Amino acid sequence: MDCEKFVEEQIAHIKETVSRAKAINALSGGVDSSLVTVLGHRALGDRLRTVFVDNDLMRKGEPERVVRTFASLGIPVELVDARQEFLSALAGLTDPEKKRQAVTDTFYSKVFARLVRESNARFLLHGTILTDIEETVAGIKRQHNILAQLGIDPKDSFGYSVIEPLKTLRKDDVREVARFLKLPAEICERIPFPGPALATRIVGEVTAERLETVRTATAIVEEELADSGAFQYLAVLLSDRATGIRDNKREFGQIIVVRCIESTDARTATVTPLSWDKLNRISERITAINGVNRCLYDLTPKPPATIEYV
Ligand code: XMP
């Protein structure tokens, strides 16, 4: 694709559409919302307000890392602490769909809706890509109509408009444009990470303590497998427990599952044949986490399994 032409056209389109008004966008750190942030900032400068919502479901150090990365690109990102709101919405929930719904609702209906209203922005920049639209039309994904998700009826509250600069691109094209704009590799080459974040990697209730356990395990797995070349690797906390021995005492401990897969589009996946040494090292480090006494490697391809556990 002609990246230069795409970038010029989108910047011109955003400039023309927003004119002298203000716009807002939410950055997740993924490649789609990162690219939208850069295009929007080049078009609007400080008339674009970019927010990063800390929902407490992120990986270790991620909110600070994203803010720092964009600061080094000259783009200010506002970190919004909504951790307590997300944890309260997730309290007591164990059903996977209810947990996912709680994360979506808290983000759109509560936190982001409030930020949009407070910002005086009339335009929302959103990182919808072609695959999102296709999957929504095919009924695979929940709808991506951001205004509806924010509880804004375009007819009642005219003035709010959504701009989707990436809606003609697929993931590969997004990465290509991101590389063309010289975004750091940690953005362009980032492994897939789900929107509901670590909530998809905790079976059972999501609590601050359980998040800390899976966050620590995730950091270990990502560090150990960074050079694996795999499509995706992750850690999951199960709701079951198992008996073990620590310091000569019986311990009814937690169980972490490690997953590492090969795939091209995440629709199907096979398991990476990791070396025994690597698996042992991961197991040793994971079982050194407070309260975790089992580490399992998941050998199931997709299908019949999915990649995430929730
Ligand atoms: P599953 O678990 O369905 O995951 O095999 C397929 C791929 O999609 C990612 N994933 C998500 N990505 N929002 C996202 O943006 C989500 O709700 C979501 N759920 C799963 C998953 O990490 C894998 O790459």
Side-chain angles (χ1 to χ4, degrees):
M1 70 174 292
D2 186 342
C3 292
E4 192 172 354
K5 183 161 170 259
F6 175 83
V7 168
E8 276 172 14
E9 280 175 3
Q10 292 312 318
I11 290 177
H13 174 70
I14 298 168
K15 263 189 189 153
E16 191 183 310
T17 313
V18 177
S19 186
R20 303 306 307 160
K22 284 189 185 153
I24 185 168
N25 80 313
L27 171 65
S28 72
V31 64
D32 304 344
S33 67
S34 293
L35 180 55
V36 166
T37 302
V38 173
L39 293 173
H41 195 264
R42 288 201 180 181
L44 305 173
D46 61 9
R47 279 180 295 119
L48 175 66
R49 178 183 181 199
T50 298
V51 295
F52 181 101
V53 174
D54 182 357
N55 55 15
D56 211 9
L57 309 174
M58 305 284 170
R59 288 172 286 186
K60 217 182 215 36
E62 190 153 34
E64 297 76 18
R65 190 164 53 237
V66 172
V67 171
R68 215 179 318 119
T69 302
F70 277 82
S72 73
L73 299 170
I75 300 177
V77 174
E78 202 179 311
L79 187 57
V80 177
D81 181 1
R83 290 177 294 180
Q84 210 43 57
E85 257 171 294
F86 281 86
L87 282 183
S88 306
L90 284 162
L93 301 183
T94 54
D95 178 76
E97 278 308 303
K98 287 196 177 130
K99 281 157 67 177
R100 282 171 164 273
Q101 197 64 50
V103 175
T104 309
D105 289 350
T106 307
F107 178 78
Y108 285 107
S109 314
K110 292 182 77 183
V111 182
F112 194 49
R114 186 168 67 227
L115 292 166
V116 170
R117 292 205 168 86
E118 287 169 3
S119 70
N120 291 322
R122 282 293 165 258
F123 293 88
L124 310 170
L125 265 54
H126 200 232
T128 319
I129 64 171
L130 186 56
T131 322
D132 296 330
I133 296 170
E134 286 170 346
E135 292 189 347
T136 305
V137 171
I140 298 167
K141 261 197 187 151
R142 265 179 288 218
Q143 67 144 338
H144 276 264
N145 180 343
I146 179 173
L147 287 181
Q149 284 178 319
L150 289 169
I152 296 169
D153 180 346
K155 283 197 219 90
D156 288 357
S157 55
F158 65 91
Y160 282 113
S161 309
V162 179
I163 304 174
E164 296 172 317
L166 313 184
K167 68 180 175 210
T168 58
L169 305 188
R170 292 186 191 283
K171 201 63 145 194
D172 288 352
D173 304 322
V174 177
R175 289 193 203 281
E176 205 183 320
V177 179
R179 286 185 207 116
F180 170 79
L181 288 173
K182 304 221 164 18
L183 298 196
E186 64 183 86
I187 295 173
C188 304
E189 319 304 335
R190 195 172 109 123
I191 59 169
F193 190 66
L198 296 178
T200 65
R201 297 176 183 175
I202 293 179
V203 182
E205 192 182 3
V206 176
T207 63
E209 195 185 2
R210 303 192 78 217
L211 273 166
E212 215 32 57
T213 303
V214 83
R215 208 184 329 266
T216 307
T218 302
I220 293 170
V221 169
E222 292 193 350
E223 203 180 299
E224 290 290 336
L225 298 178
D227 60 1
S228 65
F231 177 82
Q232 200 172 358
Y233 31 87
L234 50 113
V236 177
L237 174 61
L238 298 186
S239 55
D240 273 345
R241 284 176 178 256
T243 298
I245 305 167
R246 200 185 298 269
D247 303 329
N248 290 323
K249 277 196 228 99
R250 283 169 73 86
E251 173 192 63
F252 200 40
Q254 311 230 55
I255 309 171
I256 292 281
V257 175
V258 175
R259 193 131 172 77
C260 181
I261 55 124
E262 307 298 323
S263 178
T264 49
D265 57 9
R267 277 185 248 214
T268 60
T270 56
V271 176
T272 311
L274 294 176
S275 78
W276 202 246
D277 274 356
K278 184 51 94 177
L279 288 168
N280 269 321
R281 165 134 188 94
I282 293 172
S283 172
E284 270 171 23
R285 290 187 65 189
I286 296 270
T287 49
I289 300 171
N290 198 14
V292 177
N293 65 12
R294 303 264 169 155
C295 177
L296 317 180
Y297 188 47
D298 184 345
L299 296 182
T300 334
K302 174 181 179 175
T306 54
I307 294 170
E308 308 290 349
Y309 269 52
V310 167

